[in-house]
Amino acid sequence: MIAYVRDVWLGFLSILVSMGVTLRHLFTPAVTVQYPKGRRGVGVGSLNRHVLTVDLASGKLKCTACDACAKICPTRCITLVGAGKGKERHPIEFVIDHNLCMYCNLCVEVCPFDAITMWTGNFEIGAFHRTGLLFDQSALHAERFYPSPTTPAEVPAEAEAPART
């Protein structure tokens, strides 16, 4: 009989403790973000969609079609065809298949010219068909400067050089 009363009392206490937890969370503010209207910030080290960076002075792609990114990719999702010799070498065809990409960041790390980046902040990659996740050179072309953890943010020209007196 004593064991029965003890089990009932312990069950009642566990219900009180769980109701306390429920009431504590009932009066805390919600952390839900209403997605289309509001968006959560993306961390600095988050890997997003690939972008081929451009030289800000000339407006040309930094990529020299050295094929280092395609060679190191473990899933072989990068297809690269280059043309030209020496400093005039440039990619004719550059395709990344995001169906295969595992976002390992090896292509970004191996690039000697800092020509490809994944720190775009564009994490909304979706398509209704698999062909929608194939990004060619025109879709990968950067329209602005994308800073990365290794490259600083764009600095205005006035702030670059200190004024001389």
Side-chain angles (χ1 to χ4, degrees):
M1 181 70 176
I2 295 174
Y4 175 75
V5 172
R6 182 175 49 91
D7 288 341
V8 170
W9 177 250
L10 290 175
F12 182 70
L13 283 177
S14 69
I15 289 174
L16 284 178
V17 168
S18 61
M19 290 303 291
V21 170
T22 302
L23 287 174
R24 184 177 50 209
H25 288 284
L26 182 65
F27 296 110
T28 57
V31 294
T32 304
V33 177
Q34 297 300 323
Y35 171 63
K37 296 175 185 167
R39 296 182 182 189
R40 296 181 62 188
V42 181
V44 175
S46 65
L47 301 176
N48 310 125
R49 191 172 78 85
H50 295 85
V51 169
L52 293 175
T53 59
V54 294
D55 185 18
L56 294 177
S58 65
K60 292 183 177 180
L61 286 175
K62 290 182 181 179
C63 183
T64 61
C66 66
D67 206 29
C69 55
K71 288 178 183 175
I72 200 165
C73 182
T75 60
R76 303 288 184 239
C77 67
I78 299 175
T79 305
L80 177 62
V81 177
K85 296 279 184 195
K87 290 187 178 185
E88 298 300 320
R89 188 159 172 81
H90 62 281
I92 293 176
E93 178 185 350
F94 196 107
V95 178
I96 296 181
D97 187 359
H98 277 270
N99 294 309
L100 300 174
C101 183
M102 61 184 211
Y103 302 95
C104 63
N105 198 36
L106 290 175
C107 56
V108 176
E109 291 177 5
V110 77
C111 183
F113 304 104
D114 198 22
I116 188 167
T117 184
M118 292 179 72
W119 291 279
T120 59
N122 183 6
F123 58 90
E124 299 168 336
I125 304 171
F128 289 107
H129 302 286
R130 288 184 169 200
T131 57
L133 294 175
L134 289 172
F135 293 105
D136 61 352
Q137 188 172 344
S138 61
L140 292 171
H141 198 280
E143 70 277 355
R144 63 179 179 84
F145 176 77
Y146 289 104
S148 69
T150 58
T151 58
E154 186 175 14
V155 179
E158 301 84 37
E160 284 183 7
R164 295 181 187 208
T165 56

